[in-house]
């Protein structure tokens, strides 16, 4: 009933920038926490950044000062602005959101399909 679709990934040189977007669609009451995760080959998925509905943010130490997460609640969209990219940022980036439904209590987390970010040396 709901979907998360990421966009904005691609190939960029070290030191460059990308902005990822994740748009939610479907039938839901609201979205609470949203976040960006990434998974590199041979590694586990890790949290990159998260943001509450009210705008409070949290970042992994490895991206703090370089990445900025934001959201537009009217558009049900979360963004990840990535600056000063490094080769070690190369991964598939996944959007995650906690949907709230009118007739269901509690948390309902969904994942996007992922978008590839590749940073060349």
């Amino acid at each position: 009933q709901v979907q998360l679709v990421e966009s904005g990934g691609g190939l960029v040189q070290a030191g460059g920038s990308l902005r990822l977007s994740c748009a939610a669609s479907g039938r839901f009451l609201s979205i609470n926490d949203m976040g960006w995760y990434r998974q590199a080959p041979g590694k586990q998925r890790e949290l990159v950044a998260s943001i509450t509905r009210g705008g409070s943010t949290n970042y992994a130490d490895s991206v703090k000062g370089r990445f900025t997460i934001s959201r537009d609640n009217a558009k049900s969209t979360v963004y990840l602005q990535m600056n000063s990219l490094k080769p070690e940022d190369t991964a598939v980036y996944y959007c995650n959101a906690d949907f709230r439904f009118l007739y269901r209590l509690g948390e309902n987390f969904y994942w996007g399909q992922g978008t590839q970010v590749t940073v060349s040396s």
Side-chain angles (χ1 to χ4, degrees):
Q1 291 186 341
V2 296
Q3 287 185 298
L4 294 168
V5 180
E6 300 100 331
S7 62
L11 175 64
V12 65
Q13 291 182 313
S17 298
L18 285 173
R19 190 179 80 152
L20 306 183
S21 299
C22 174
S25 62
R27 298 176 64 86
F28 54 89
L29 180 63
S30 63
I31 304 174
N32 283 357
D33 292 358
M34 303 185 80
W36 288 96
Y37 293 72
R38 67 186 181 188
Q39 188 167 20
K43 300 187 66 177
Q44 295 190 22
R45 190 172 300 185
E46 64 176 352
L47 175 68
V48 177
S50 64
I51 185 168
T52 68
R53 182 172 179 82
S56 297
T57 59
N58 183 54
Y59 297 92
D61 289 341
S62 60
V63 307
K64 190 171 297 183
R66 300 188 296 120
F67 291 9
T68 303
I69 189 171
S70 61
R71 64 190 290 172
D72 185 336
N73 291 335
K75 296 181 178 180
S76 299
T77 300
V78 63
Y79 307 93
L80 185 67
Q81 178 66 46
M82 304 185 294
N83 299 325
S84 302
L85 283 163
K86 305 174 181 179
E88 48 263 47
D89 295 319
T90 296
V92 177
Y93 283 70
Y94 296 91
C95 176
N96 179 266
D98 174 15
F99 291 90
R100 300 304 170 96
F101 303 102
L102 181 61
Y103 300 109
R104 182 185 297 176
L105 299 177
E107 301 174 337
N108 298 273
F109 289 98
Y110 286 77
W111 292 95
Q113 78 288 344
T115 184
Q116 177 71 47
V117 172
T118 302
V119 184
S120 62
S121 301

